[in-house]
Amino acid sequence: MIWRRGLLALGALVLLAAIWLGGSATGYPRTLKPAPVSPAMLIDNVRLVSMAPDAPQAEETMAVLVVNGVIEDIGAAGSLASSAEDVVVIDGAGKTLMPGLIDAHVHVWDEAELAGYLAHGVTGVRNMSGMPFHLPLQQRIEEGRILGPDFVTTGPILNSPGANQQDNHQIVVTGEEARAAVAKQYDEGYRALKVYSNLRRDAYDAIMDEASKRGMSVSGHTPEGVREDGMPYDKPFDIAFEETLSRGFTTIEHVESVVWHGLRDELDEEAMRALAEKIAASGEAVTPTLIAHANLVRVAESKGVYLNRPGAETVNPLYRMLDKGTFDFWSRMDPAPREAPRAAFYLKATKALYDAGVPLVAGTDAGIFTNIPGSAMTRELELLVEAGLSPYEALQTATVNSAKVLGFDKTGVIAPGYRANLVLLDSNPLSDVGAVENPSAVMIRGVWLDEDRLAALKEGAAQTSVPRTARRAVAMLRDL
């Protein structure tokens, strides 16, 4: 797919790292410094959207009691009490309480980006391109040494040489190379793999087999094999899309990749419905990431103006420098002939997947191109509603569905015994799903972030360290 140009220009990256070698990397934003867990908090008289399977979509005048970061009880407003001393009571009149959002597809380059997710109510993320600093970062978050959303990561992307090869991919060709790469990632501490579209058959088979033996999950682009002239329009892919089904993918990434590989780029609604039935029968979940392609079209339609909208400064500046060619390419493009019709079809394809019963999880590709960490989730939810899901159904993809599919323990639902990852909203997201974008408060593992703290997080999201990012990217490239 032509828009997936190289993410990293190796020579430019090394040069930048050399320029910054003598500079000291700034610390992460002060607003991410750890804060004490509230011993007991009662959120009273609130509209509750619990996402619990048997609960109504919304319950009025409810109360939720949180003790030491865990939901202890739920009941009618005014009915709950705690034996804990110094219970903090939050008046939720006119507000809505729901689980924190989970972004199933992000790219984290620097700690500052974590602030952007929290500021917009995203309390869990899955990083989809592992770098050496990600596993220590995950541990720091889990141990409470830095404030951040629940964090899981794949290892470095596994791919073979070809049209979609990028500098940050771990390249494997033979089955032996693929098994060694999986073993290396496992030994480094990764438990999730990401695969990419150029993977050759022997390498792909070896990855799936080795991952199964080691208990590792696999997600990503469905492998197409060796790309030859004429593919996919004049001749089929080396590996048919159907061959990748029922192989144990946790999630298939990007609805445009499903259309490209599964339909050979034919925008055929009947064929899409048939393909959706096959995916549903095989059991894989899909991360549509509608916003990823939609933002490309928005940049093209605005002749690049959309690149500079508020919040875009929180996309990592080193990444923006390195991928300037992609920005320029799309700023010059006329989207009307090809890309605008595709954007419309991807909405229909997503609805076909949903109607067929394919589990959908919400992801945004935030952190690359112009997908803003945190607020991109709101744009994704709006696109899911535009595709034909109800606001409640869209919110399920970013809460209970993502928690279940990705293995985020005891979150995604507001219920006794679940962790208190919560979002308090000024209005009802079931009337306007865009209400999630600017919460009035967020609770992450029992830490209460009020409006002032959220405002500070928004400012902190732009405090990226370019030297630190460059060093980490160079470390990643050396490790591949």
Side-chain angles (χ1 to χ4, degrees), residues 313-369:
E313 70 278 1
T314 66
V315 178
N316 191 283
L318 178 61
Y319 164 79
R320 293 201 308 269
M321 285 187 279
L322 295 171
D323 213 28
K324 185 178 183 299
T326 303
F327 292 8
D328 293 343
F329 174 85
W330 281 92
S331 297
R332 294 191 302 265
M333 174 182 280
D334 177 4
R338 177 182 172 90
E339 300 306 329
R342 274 169 169 68
F345 185 79
Y346 296 152
L347 296 174
K348 296 175 182 178
T350 299
K351 185 58 161 58
L353 292 168
Y354 183 82
D355 289 343
V358 175
L360 300 183
V361 298
T364 66
D365 238 350
I368 64 172
F369 194 61

Side-chain angles (χ1 to χ4, degrees), residues 139-160:
Q139 185 173 0
R140 288 161 62 203
I141 292 171
E142 290 174 352
E143 294 175 353
R145 291 186 284 130
I146 182 174
L147 187 67
D150 292 345
F151 186 93
V152 296
T153 185
T154 71
I157 297 170
L158 295 168
N159 201 9
S160 297

Side-chain angles (χ1 to χ4, degrees), residues 65-181:
L65 178 64
V66 177
V67 178
N68 294 322
V70 177
I71 299 166
E72 183 173 281
D73 202 1
I74 299 173
S79 70
L80 300 185
S82 172
S83 59
E85 297 181 1
D86 301 324
V87 178
V88 176
V89 179
I90 303 295
D91 183 6
K95 298 182 185 292
T96 300
L97 187 70
M98 63 170 288
L101 303 171
I102 298 171
D103 194 329
H105 192 129
V106 308
H107 295 269
V108 174
W109 304 83
D110 186 84
E111 286 88 341
E113 295 150 34
L114 302 178
Y117 292 108
L118 291 177
H120 293 285
V122 177
T123 59
V125 298
R126 179 178 60 161
N127 180 69
M128 291 297 283
S129 180
M131 298 168 67
F133 84 97
H134 283 134
L135 290 175
L137 175 61
Q138 179 179 341
Q139 185 173 0
R140 288 161 62 203
I141 292 171
E142 290 174 352
E143 294 175 353
R145 291 186 284 130
I146 182 174
L147 187 67
D150 292 345
F151 186 93
V152 296
T153 185
T154 71
I157 297 170
L158 295 168
N159 201 9
S160 297
N164 292 333
Q165 178 182 351
Q166 296 170 9
D167 289 335
N168 62 328
H169 292 179
Q170 188 169 3
I171 301 301
V172 295
V173 177
T174 68
E176 183 179 2
E177 290 173 345
R179 288 184 188 277

